[in-house]
PDB file of all heavy atoms in Angstrom:
ATOM      1  N   GLN A 190      22.010 193.785 120.412  1.00 95.00           N
ATOM      2  CA  GLN A 190      22.888 193.675 121.670  1.00 95.00           C
ATOM      3  C   GLN A 190      24.407 193.802 121.216  1.00 95.00           C
ATOM      4  O   GLN A 190      25.101 194.703 121.565  1.00 95.00           O
ATOM      5  CB  GLN A 190      22.698 192.581 122.424  1.00 95.00           C
ATOM      6  CG  GLN A 190      23.350 192.596 123.765  1.00 95.00           C
ATOM      7  CD  GLN A 190      22.454 192.012 124.830  1.00 95.00           C
ATOM      8  OE1 GLN A 190      21.151 192.144 124.745  1.00 95.00           O
ATOM      9  NE2 GLN A 190      23.042 191.330 125.776  1.00 95.00           N
ATOM     10  N   LEU A 254      11.422 174.188  92.217  1.00 98.00           N
ATOM     11  CA  LEU A 254      12.110 175.286  92.649  1.00 98.00           C
ATOM     12  C   LEU A 254      11.238 176.170  93.842  1.00 98.00           C
ATOM     13  O   LEU A 254      11.441 177.347  93.775  1.00 98.00           O
ATOM     14  CB  LEU A 254      12.334 176.221  91.401  1.00 98.00           C
ATOM     15  CG  LEU A 254      13.267 175.723  90.405  1.00 98.00           C
ATOM     16  CD1 LEU A 254      13.086 176.364  88.961  1.00 98.00           C
ATOM     17  CD2 LEU A 254      14.765 175.877  90.909  1.00 98.00           C
ATOM     18  N   ALA A 379      -6.872 153.430  97.182  1.00 98.00           N
ATOM     19  CA  ALA A 379      -6.908 152.463  96.128  1.00 98.00           C
ATOM     20  C   ALA A 379      -7.603 152.988  94.913  1.00 98.00           C
ATOM     21  O   ALA A 379      -7.299 152.729  93.808  1.00 98.00           O
ATOM     22  CB  ALA A 379      -7.605 151.225  96.556  1.00 98.00           C
ATOM     23  N   VAL A 469      15.128 176.447  76.791  1.00 98.00           N
ATOM     24  CA  VAL A 469      14.932 177.632  77.549  1.00 98.00           C
ATOM     25  C   VAL A 469      14.468 177.342  79.015  1.00 98.00           C
ATOM     26  O   VAL A 469      14.911 177.851  80.082  1.00 98.00           O
ATOM     27  CB  VAL A 469      13.688 178.468  76.866  1.00 98.00           C
ATOM     28  CG1 VAL A 469      13.374 179.588  77.742  1.00 98.00           C
ATOM     29  CG2 VAL A 469      14.292 178.900  75.651  1.00 98.00           C
TER      30      VAL A 469
END
Side-chain angles (χ1 to χ4, degrees):
Q190 193 143 321
L254 297 158
V469 174

